[in-house]
Amino acid sequence: MSQSVMGFDIKKPAIQQGDQIEKQSLSLIEEECRGYPSYHRFGNQEKEVVKRLIHATTHFQDVMSSIFFTDKAIDSIKDLLTASANIIVDTNMIKSGLSPIYTDRYKNKVICYTSEERVKEKAKKDGTTRTFAAAQLALNDCYNQPTVLVCGNAPTFLYSLVEGLLVENWDLSKVAVIAFPVGFVNVEESKTYTKSFLEHFNVEGIILEGRYGASTMAVSCLHAIYKLIK
């Protein structure tokens, strides 16, 4: 029964259940994706990630034209997550956005040191950004443990990760990278640099190339991969 207040009709959404909304949204996304030739270059698992990123943004062409997967990126990240990998992130937004349903199930510790006082002091002393210093400290604490490295905002985070992994002689088979920083300064360069690192050392990862990216998209990417774990 509809309700009216002072001559204004109060309406309810046609679909009110969250799971139904998500199911219908993904069905509509799948249908529209089929009209993009670039969609058909992705493997089945990659398509699931692409659809989740579109679900988070509504940007079909931007996602499909920007995303880069190494050959075994999704399988590698799945394997690391199920091996109780640490997840080192550059923003507390990513840390807050990741569902404990997944992180608790697979015992994934999500690490973001960016706001810690010791990071501010180290960044000031070293003349770097806080995200650069935070990445250094996080890599030190997680040395040679299974780790997924996730950047959704600050490109300096990626530079710090590459430097730390190589200088400290990490076992690179134990890491994978999700590089989604966004913006105008150092962003495109950081992604090109990260891509060359992945390809040179056969490290698995996912990159949103160009200026495009976001912490929320990094969360959606990880959630999509969690959902692919059988």
Side-chain angles (χ1 to χ4, degrees):
M1 181 181 294
S2 62
Q3 183 180 2
S4 180
V5 177
M6 298 178 65
F8 183 86
D9 291 336
I10 297 174
K11 298 182 179 180
K12 296 187 182 297
I15 301 175
Q16 299 185 52
Q17 298 300 317
D19 57 343
Q20 293 178 354
I21 293 171
E22 180 181 66
K23 183 177 180 180
Q24 183 166 341
S25 295
L26 291 171
S27 177
L28 292 169
I29 290 167
E30 170 68 27
E31 182 179 352
E32 189 166 339
C33 277
R34 293 191 190 121
Y36 289 83
S38 56
Y39 179 66
H40 303 285
R41 68 184 174 91
F42 300 114
N44 290 335
Q45 292 192 116
E46 293 170 348
K47 286 178 178 177
E48 293 305 313
V49 172
V50 167
K51 286 187 290 186
R52 287 285 169 180
L53 292 175
I54 293 170
H55 185 247
T57 63
T58 74
H59 295 168
F60 285 78
Q61 188 59 49
D62 287 339
V63 170
M64 286 187 270
S65 63
S66 300
I67 198 160
F68 165 79
F69 297 91
T70 59
D71 289 343
K72 300 177 182 177
I74 294 177
D75 284 337
S76 176
I77 295 170
K78 284 163 56 181
D79 289 345
L80 288 168
L81 292 173
T82 55
S84 301
N86 300 301
I87 304 174
I88 298 177
V89 305
D90 68 324
T91 66
N92 280 305
M93 183 182 292
I94 298 175
K95 184 176 182 179
S96 298
L98 287 173
S99 172
I101 292 174
Y102 299 124
T103 56
D104 290 352
R105 180 185 301 166
Y106 298 107
K107 298 180 173 58
N108 303 127
K109 183 179 180 182
V110 185
I111 299 168
C112 182
Y113 290 159
T114 306
S115 298
E116 293 192 3
E117 190 61 36
R118 61 178 177 142
V119 169
K120 297 177 185 178
E121 294 171 359
K122 179 175 174 57
K124 184 176 181 180
K125 177 183 175 183
D126 296 346
T128 64
T129 65
R130 283 187 294 164
T131 49
F132 193 100
Q136 287 182 320
L137 292 173
L139 285 175
N140 288 340
D141 287 351
C142 299
Y143 182 68
N144 265 350
Q145 299 172 21
T147 305
V148 180
L149 307 163
V150 185
C151 180
N153 182 64
T156 54
F157 191 78
L158 294 175
Y159 286 97
S160 183
L161 292 178
V162 171
E163 179 180 314
L165 292 170
L166 296 179
V167 171
E168 299 302 326
N169 196 30
W170 265 66
D171 178 352
L172 297 178
S173 69
K174 294 184 177 180
V175 302
V177 179
I178 296 175
F180 287 16
V182 60
F184 298 92
V185 179
N186 292 329
V187 172
E188 293 178 271
E189 297 87 348
S190 73
K191 295 175 181 182
T192 300
Y193 176 59
T194 301
K195 186 176 180 180
S196 67
F197 163 72
L198 298 182
E199 293 177 335
H200 187 87
F201 292 99
N202 294 316
V203 176
E204 303 296 338
I206 305 172
I207 302 173
L208 272 176
E209 298 182 284
R211 296 173 174 174
Y212 196 45
S215 292
T216 51
M217 296 181 76
V219 171
S220 294
C221 180
L222 270 172
H223 282 170
I225 295 172
Y226 273 121
K227 290 176 182 291
L228 288 168
I229 297 173
K230 304 300 181 184

